[in-house]
Amino acid sequence: MTTTAHAPHHPTAAFGIDIGGSGIKGAPVDLRTGAFSSDRVRIPTPQPSTPRAVAATVAELVDSFDLPHDLPVGVTFPAVIQHGVARSAANVDDSWIGTDVAAVVAQATGRHVLAVNDADAAGYAETLYGAARGVAGVVLVVTLGTGIGSCLVVDGVLVPNTELGHLQVDGHDAESRAADSARERDALSWERWAERLQTYFRVVEDLFWPDLIVVGGGVSKKHEKFLPLLDLRTPIVPAELRNAAGIVGAAALAARGTVLD
Ligand code: BGC
């Protein structure tokens, strides 16, 4: 018997939603280009940000668009997401732990939903459409924000939930010292913050030996203030998709139908 291998056929459009601590943002994405196919909508994250309240806001956001019923929907969440279920809650309401994020949002929206860690979504988008596009080997995308998120992609394959923001560095949870929120909290100059980043990224490159590090998160738009101060063996570049990355990555993974290959 002969068989013919076909590349899996994925939809060319999907809807991405980025659930963050202050805002829930969504847009339809053209997956041929990685661009939004209409303007992004943002709704403030309800407080307290319980699963029920957040899911209702996601439904409101999705309903503000006129979308085909079968359009795949992807949501990011800032926690470990294992097979759709939140397993940690470093910077979100503790009530999320154990919540099937994909199922809760699917129920609220009446749609098929895929849930993914926020940094995994953003990093994956960078490998498809941004700073790590076409890069072979081991790519590590690190997002610097309220926390530190990480995304490991090996020859285009995502290894989810690496959680490198929680490496122990000098006896501290790394993100508590080196996240952008730590820079703000401690009123650090760029130079002082870069010293902390230097310590952090040196540990990361010694453990993972990536071919490329991409730095994302809101502060990456000011990359010229701190990336040139770092002395690493690994090439380190700013993310390109900026705050679209989470939405685009969530949409791309939703179209594939899985976070795992
Ligand atoms: C969480 C990660 C998340 C990162 C960025 C960390 O505190 O543990 O899951 O990706 O923050 O939001």
Side-chain angles (χ1 to χ4, degrees), residues 77-80 88 90-91 117-120 143 147-150 163 166 175:
F77 197 73
V80 171
S88 68
N91 297 302
N117 169 266
D118 58 352
D120 281 338
T143 63
I148 294 181
S150 62
E163 291 292 318
H166 298 298
E175 70 174 24

Side-chain angles (χ1 to χ4, degrees), residues 25-247:
K25 294 153 268 181
V29 178
D30 179 342
L31 297 170
R32 293 165 301 191
T33 60
F36 295 167
S37 44
S38 63
D39 283 349
R40 190 191 81 154
V41 166
R42 178 187 189 278
I43 303 180
T45 306
Q47 301 300 339
S49 53
T50 58
R52 184 190 294 250
V54 167
T57 303
V58 170
E60 181 190 337
L61 189 148
V62 170
D63 288 345
S64 73
F65 291 83
D66 186 17
L67 304 174
H69 188 73
D70 58 354
L71 192 69
V73 172
V75 298
T76 75
F77 197 73
V80 171
I81 300 290
Q82 203 174 28
H83 311 293
V85 179
R87 297 290 185 195
S88 68
N91 297 302
V92 295
D93 198 284
D94 275 351
S95 61
W96 283 93
I97 296 179
T99 301
D100 190 328
V101 179
V104 167
V105 175
Q107 200 185 17
T109 58
R111 290 169 183 273
H112 194 74
V113 174
L114 174 137
V116 58
N117 169 266
D118 58 352
D120 281 338
Y124 191 65
E126 291 293 334
T127 69
L128 289 181
Y129 307 107
R133 181 176 183 172
V135 175
V138 178
V139 174
L140 191 63
V141 183
V142 174
T143 63
L144 302 171
T146 307
I148 294 181
S150 62
C151 171
L152 184 66
V153 178
V154 184
D155 276 342
V157 177
L158 173 65
V159 182
N161 296 312
T162 44
E163 291 292 318
L164 300 186
H166 298 298
L167 279 174
Q168 291 289 310
V169 177
D170 292 341
H172 297 275
D173 185 30
E175 70 174 24
S176 72
R177 312 263 309 157
D180 191 41
S181 60
R183 180 183 67 84
E184 290 176 342
R185 180 196 63 215
D186 297 343
L188 300 178
S189 63
W190 294 108
E191 289 74 18
R192 287 271 173 237
W193 188 47
E195 288 169 12
R196 295 188 184 184
L197 291 175
Q198 170 70 29
T199 304
Y200 175 65
F201 282 118
R202 198 39 90 68
V203 170
V204 167
E205 70 173 359
D206 284 349
L207 293 176
F208 287 87
W209 288 81
D211 293 294
L212 176 69
I213 299 175
V214 177
V215 176
V219 74
S220 67
K221 64 174 174 285
K222 301 196 182 130
H223 58 92
E224 71 289 348
K225 304 269 193 210
F226 60 96
L227 286 189
L229 305 179
L230 302 181
D231 177 22
L232 301 166
R233 79 171 77 84
T234 314
I236 185 164
V237 297
E240 287 176 6
L241 298 181
R242 300 281 163 80
N243 56 11
I247 292 173

Side-chain angles (χ1 to χ4, degrees), residues 4-18:
T4 313
H6 289 285
H9 188 265
H10 299 306
T12 55
F15 195 85
I17 300 164
D18 202 349

